[in-house]
Amino acid sequence: MVNNPYEVLGVSPNATDEEIKTAYRNLAKKYHPDNYADSPLADVASEKMKEVNEAYDTIMSTRRTGSGANSGGYYNTNPSGSSKYYDVRTMIKNGRVADAEQILDGVPPERRDAEWNFLKGTVLLKKGWTQEAYNCFQTACNMDPSNMEYRQALNYAQSRRSGAYGGYNAGMPQQNVGGCSGCDICTGLCCADTCCECMGGDLIPCC
Amino acid sequence: MFGYIRPQKPEMLIKDFDAYKAAYCSLCRQLGKSYGFAASLILSYDSTFFAILSMSVKGECNSYKKGRCKVNPTKKCDYCSTRSISLENAAALSAAAFYYKLEDEIADGSLLRRILLKPVRLFAGRWRKKLIKYGYRSYDLIFENMLKEQLALESEGCKSIDRAAEPTAKALSQLAGMLSDDEAQRRVLESFGYYLGKWVYLMDAADDINDDIKSGCFNPFVLYFSLDENYDRNILKQINGIINEAASMLLNAYNLIELKGNQRILENIVTLGISSMQKYVLFDKRTEKSKNKNKI
């Protein structure tokens, strides 16, 4: 697929380097593999990411002939290693989510360890069952607090919950849109008074 | 559906708002044209969103002209003057969704409600027949299955939030997937629809918590957190977190949709609109009960 690199980045051909960099950074943030960790759409996202990287590289190298720009290097790291659930992990990787789930469900409850909970959470997340996946990741982390793989999965879920990536962030005070609170007015008056006094005048006679 | 998917008007450009309103009015007219004047009344923000998304995915280019509003003849609006598949689809979606929502209410409403809803059902039944005649049997089936699965899991008292949301999520996933013939795009749209459906279902459930505690109707949050009349309001923050997860997943999928127009409107809805609706339903509405829903 040969697309116009400027169209891919959504900028006009006479955009400045700075504008192109900003557009590139925004898109790279959007399609970043971290956003699609454990998502069945990871392949589509990485395809988009590749397109954006290529477009950016093309533009930059044609603009500065000779020195091809480095694209920042967003690569998906796939945590792997020896595991007794090797086959389940392979299935998940190959998109055979239902098979993986069937094997996991066959494990008797007393033998369900941290890794089991992590993998079950991964499978649930692929199905879109975000709430139960979250519970599984939490259990996995409680059972094995030192494992970075489980911790990362839980962290992703927690940051999705925070509202930072969509939805509503209940913890953050909303910006006052165009408003002016009583506090703002008082501060403003105090400032104005001080300024006036500097110049020899006085806005608020009592202070 | 429920009317939760709407734009945040103050953050829109005026030309975008005009375009949104034109789609809204055109869908109203399309409902009237396809299903009769009374059908204009089931116009919703959700189906308007679906129409705009569909236009954008299909790259539909419509022309608009001024006309008089039939519901309020003193008003003049922009109407789509060409035949639009997206509007026809959205009208069919509204009719099918309305028919099955009504069935649901009649199935578990009180006797008085049932008697009041009966005449409405006459209309809805007629619309459903037309819908099938127009070739939208697939839409009808999607909602029929959704209702069947929903009633089944409600009657068994399902305690899983994810499973309770599954029928609605699946229905919207199928509907959105139909918008594109391209394999990758279909998957992206299905995922988008899935989480949008989940978001809508969870929002509706969160909205009904207080009523459902009183009436004892099925509500996944009430069952999951074992809520009673004086529940701890901090639970709402947890519920907001659960809904945020659906919102962030739908946004992820949205970012991969190849849109051919109306990007700013759609982006406004899936980011700001969704966020402010969550804020309103979960927090503001409970503190200022008398405040009306913000009208467009």
Side-chain angles (χ1 to χ4, degrees):
Chain A
M1 201 166 25
V2 188
N3 280 335
N4 178 351
Y6 290 100
E7 257 171 44
V8 173
L9 294 188
V11 290
S12 88
N14 36 24
T16 63
D17 284 5
E18 210 39 58
E19 281 167 344
I20 287 167
K21 253 183 215 160
T22 317
Y24 168 71
R25 266 192 222 119
N26 287 339
L27 287 172
K29 219 159 87 189
K30 213 159 147 183
Y31 301 134
H32 195 281
D34 283 0
N35 295 338
Y36 298 92
D38 301 324
S39 161
L41 298 179
D43 56 324
V44 186
S46 80
E47 196 56 43
K48 288 264 181 202
M49 187 77 210
K50 220 173 83 192
E51 234 172 75
V52 170
N53 278 337
E54 273 165 15
Y56 182 72
D57 287 350
T58 317
I59 294 174
M60 281 313 177
S61 58
T62 44
R63 288 195 170 193
R64 286 189 219 105
T65 27
S67 65
N70 199 325
S71 54
Y74 287 111
Y75 291 111
N76 200 354
T77 49
N78 266 327
S80 59
S82 63
S83 143
K84 62 178 168 177
Y85 290 108
Y86 180 75
D87 47 341
V88 175
R89 282 179 186 265
T90 321
M91 279 174 191
I92 294 176
K93 222 189 225 161
N94 296 334
R96 289 166 56 202
V97 180
D99 295 336
E101 188 169 27
Q102 205 175 9
I103 293 183
L104 286 171
D105 287 345
V107 176
E110 65 277 8
R111 279 178 40 215
R112 294 180 178 176
D113 55 4
E115 191 181 10
W116 184 91
N117 273 293
F118 165 70
L119 291 172
K120 176 82 181 172
T122 312
V123 165
L124 286 168
L125 199 57
K126 291 228 188 234
K127 281 201 331 190
W129 289 36
T130 42
Q131 166 63 12
E132 280 169 36
Y134 178 71
N135 289 344
C136 279
F137 291 146
Q138 253 181 342
T139 318
C141 283
N142 287 341
M143 286 170 133
D144 185 356
S146 62
N147 188 304
M148 288 318 288
E149 194 184 8
Y150 312 159
R151 177 70 48 194
Q152 197 182 30
L154 183 63
N155 284 347
Y156 284 145
Q158 271 164 347
S159 52
R160 279 195 299 271
R161 281 175 179 244
S162 72
Y165 298 102
Y168 169 63
N169 188 341
M172 278 259 276
Q174 288 294 96
Q175 287 263 303
N176 231 341
V177 184
C180 184
S181 68
C183 209
D184 291 342
I185 296 168
C186 282
T187 325
L189 278 175
C190 284
C191 281
D193 180 47
T194 321
C195 287
C196 284
E197 273 162 55
C198 275
M199 305 300 286
D202 200 0
L203 184 64
I204 309 166
C206 64
C207 67
Chain B
M1 283 183 276
F2 314 92
Y4 294 116
I5 313 171
R6 43 173 103 178
Q8 194 180 26
K9 190 180 157 191
E11 298 289 340
M12 274 182 133
L13 294 181
I14 290 174
K15 61 177 176 183
D16 289 339
F17 179 69
D18 287 344
Y20 181 82
K21 211 161 152 265
Y24 187 79
C25 294
S26 302
L27 180 57
C28 177
R29 184 163 274 194
Q30 182 71 49
L31 277 164
K33 216 163 92 187
S34 303
Y35 302 97
F37 178 70
S40 310
L41 300 172
I42 63 170
L43 174 67
S44 72
Y45 293 107
D46 302 318
S47 48
T48 308
F49 174 77
F50 185 78
I52 295 175
L53 177 72
S54 165
M55 284 176 191
S56 178
V57 169
K58 293 178 189 293
E60 235 175 59
C61 197
N62 296 317
S63 52
Y64 291 86
K65 65 165 190 259
K66 281 240 178 285
R68 220 167 262 288
C69 175
K70 279 191 183 149
V71 182
N72 177 4
T74 56
K75 233 172 40 178
K76 267 193 168 177
C77 311
D78 284 329
Y79 290 104
C80 182
S81 55
T82 38
R83 182 174 177 237
S84 158
I85 297 291
S86 296
L87 288 174
E88 287 174 14
N89 289 350
L93 176 125
S94 315
F98 182 77
Y99 176 80
Y100 285 101
K101 177 127 176 76
L102 202 66
E103 285 285 290
D104 181 30
E105 302 225 340
I106 289 175
D108 58 22
S110 63
L111 185 69
L112 181 72
R113 237 185 128 67
R114 259 185 247 185
I115 293 167
L116 285 174
L117 288 176
K118 273 280 158 67
V120 187
R121 198 178 168 204
L122 275 178
F123 276 104
R126 214 176 296 157
W127 297 339
R128 180 172 168 252
K129 274 193 198 129
K130 278 196 181 159
L131 169 94
I132 291 168
K133 204 183 83 194
Y134 293 146
Y136 284 105
R137 179 77 185 131
S138 54
Y139 280 34
D140 184 65
L141 268 177
I142 288 172
F143 283 104
E144 191 183 343
N145 287 333
M146 173 180 121
L147 182 68
K148 223 188 279 165
E149 284 169 31
Q150 194 68 48
L151 291 176
L153 66 89
E154 281 182 16
S155 65
E156 73 177 70
C158 165
K159 274 207 168 65
S160 157
I161 292 174
D162 293 324
R163 205 155 80 78
E166 188 83 0
T168 314
K170 246 171 52 190
L172 254 74
S173 167
Q174 288 166 337
L175 288 167
M178 285 182 195
L179 293 180
S180 179
D181 301 322
D182 176 69
E183 173 61 21
Q185 277 300 297
R186 193 181 49 75
R187 271 177 53 215
V188 170
L189 284 162
E190 275 176 358
S191 173
F192 175 70
Y194 182 91
Y195 290 110
L196 189 68
K198 185 164 184 161
W199 184 84
V200 167
Y201 178 81
L202 294 179
M203 283 293 282
D204 189 44
D207 207 359
D208 291 343
I209 287 177
N210 291 357
D211 294 339
D212 288 343
I213 290 175
K214 270 195 211 108
S215 67
C217 284
F218 176 84
N219 186 308
F221 290 124
V222 174
L223 289 175
Y224 186 81
F225 292 107
S226 314
L227 302 178
D228 55 30
E229 295 230 4
N230 357 312
Y231 65 92
D232 180 6
R233 302 288 140 157
N234 280 324
I235 291 270
L236 291 174
K237 281 195 181 155
Q238 273 190 56
I239 291 175
N240 184 50
I242 294 172
I243 299 178
N244 275 345
E245 205 159 0
S248 70
M249 298 292 246
L250 81 84
L251 204 56
N252 268 344
Y254 171 81
N255 285 334
L256 298 176
I257 304 176
E258 276 160 16
L259 298 168
K260 301 164 197 137
N262 288 332
Q263 282 95 333
R264 274 195 312 266
I265 301 177
L266 293 169
E267 190 159 326
N268 174 299
I269 298 175
V270 296
T271 55
L272 305 169
I274 273 186
S275 167
S276 61
M277 189 49 82
Q278 263 176 254
K279 179 172 182 277
Y280 171 71
V281 165
L282 282 154
F283 305 102
D284 296 356
K285 195 178 175 184
R286 285 161 214 270
T287 43
E288 308 160 51
K289 266 216 152 148
S290 54
K291 211 173 147 191
N292 287 327
K293 278 198 177 181
N294 50 331
K295 283 246 168 73
I296 131 165

